[in-house]
Every structure is written in structure tokens, then in C-alpha cells.
Amino acid sequence: MRELVYYVAVSIDGYIAGPDGEYDFYPGGDEAQHAHYMGWMNQRYPETVPTALRPAHGLADAPNRHFDTVLMGLGAYRPGLDAGMPSPYAHLRQYVVSSTLGAAPAPDVTVVDGDPLALVRDLKREEGQDIWLCGGGRLAGTLLPEIDRLIVKSYPVVAGAGIPAFHGAFNPTVFRVTDRESFDNGVTVTWSTRR
């Protein structure tokens, strides 16, 4: 069965973005450190690089290694849309969960204004690769019962305020760490699976 994987960057204090959706505050280290980290992550998860940026990273023809579907809330979708990319991950099946977006801005984007838990359960029953939950925090909080694995990129920065990685009711959910990788730029990537 396909799994739902929350692959996300977070600050030390657990925020995935600033109060207005900012995500440019994550430190990358010096040029060499940043290049090593991004190269390593992009080769491991090429499908998480937006379609328009893939050629610049040498990933234009890279196959999807882990995911063939992406789920995002409106807050996660909006930056690409505002930057003129209504179909940010054209190499994946794209679902935007939103009750306010209305019609899909691109033909290969499906807007879901219903129950995201039902959507995920239906997607899990299909054949294919895993499903990438790329944000946001409110959607992750709603989908927590269906999240099978976490890939958390922890950056050495305190945001102070913003959008939490999970926004919802108090619901302690235990995951087991399966792997961890540290980089010279201070980023730590942790892989976890639901217990």
C-alpha cells in the first residue's frame, strides 16, 4: 500500500514558514556547504524540486524516485502560484486542499474542497509510488492519522513565530527514528516511521 510521507523543512522551534508564509529565512551555510546539501537532497528526492527549477539542478529528466503524487494546502501552493507557476510539480499528480481557491488554476492541478482524510485513504488504495505531503501545517494536523512517515529537515534557526509543522488538537503521536543525516551547514535530516 502507498504511504503518506510528510517531507518538510522546519526551524528549531518547529515552524515551517513565517507568519506570512516566508520560507527564505532558512540558513544554507556557505556556498560549498549549500551546494553539497542541496545536491545530496535533490539527488535523493528529485521529484520534490519544482518542475521549472529541475533543469537548473540537472534534474530535467530525473525519474521520480519515491513519490508520484503531491498534496498541499493553499498556503504551500500559493508561493508557486504567485510566482507564475500554477502547476509547480507538473511531473507529479497535484492535489491542493482548499475550500477557498475555487477552480483549479491549471488543468493538471486538482483542487479538493472536501475531506482530505478521505482523499488520502482513496489515494493510498491506488497503485503507485508514495504520496508526498509538502505542507502546510493545518493540513498536516488534519492528516496526522494517515501520515505513515516523516522526513524532517531541521534547520539551525529560530523563527519565533509562524506556521507550525502541525496545527491542530493535542494528539501525541509517536514515530520511530529510522535514520538521521547531518550536514556541514547545520541541517539535520531525520527519517521517522509511525510506531
Side-chain angles (χ1 to χ4, degrees):
M1 180 183 280
R2 305 169 80 191
E3 294 187 326
L4 180 63
V5 181
Y6 191 19
Y7 172 86
V8 66
V10 298
S11 64
I12 290 172
D13 50 346
Y15 293 105
I16 61 174
D20 295 319
E22 307 92 339
Y23 55 89
D24 58 355
F25 61 89
Y26 290 114
D30 65 30
E31 188 175 329
Q33 292 170 336
H34 182 70
H36 171 72
Y37 165 71
M38 291 303 297
W40 194 91
M41 293 304 295
N42 290 349
Q43 288 301 315
R44 190 154 184 170
Y45 299 100
E47 60 270 48
T48 65
V49 177
T51 304
L53 303 179
R54 287 165 63 93
H57 292 280
L59 301 170
D61 299 320
N64 296 339
R65 296 189 62 194
H66 303 278
F67 310 116
D68 63 11
T69 303
V70 61
L71 293 178
M72 42 196 148
L74 182 57
Y77 178 63
R78 177 68 63 195
L81 184 61
D82 290 348
M85 293 186 292
S87 179
Y89 300 100
H91 52 284
L92 301 171
R93 288 173 57 197
Q94 303 171 91
Y95 292 89
V96 178
V97 177
S98 172
S99 60
T100 60
L101 182 59
D108 59 348
V109 172
T110 301
V111 175
V112 177
D113 65 358
D115 180 9
L117 283 166
L119 169 67
V120 167
R121 290 174 184 138
D122 288 343
L123 290 172
K124 282 184 170 186
R125 285 191 286 270
E126 297 176 357
E127 293 292 322
Q129 293 178 298
D130 288 334
I131 305 153
W132 170 32
L133 171 59
C134 77
R138 190 174 313 277
L139 181 58
T142 299
L143 292 177
L144 181 56
E146 289 295 327
I147 294 175
D148 301 290
R149 288 185 289 127
L150 303 170
I151 304 170
V152 178
K153 301 176 290 183
S154 299
Y155 282 79
V157 61
V158 172
I163 299 168
F166 290 91
H167 180 79
F170 181 72
N171 182 18
T173 305
V174 178
F175 285 80
R176 179 177 55 86
V177 173
T178 58
D179 198 8
R180 185 169 282 135
E181 185 81 25
S182 296
F183 295 87
D184 288 343
N185 63 354
V187 178
T188 302
V189 182
T190 303
W191 290 261
S192 303
T193 188
R194 182 183 290 274
R195 281 194 170 174

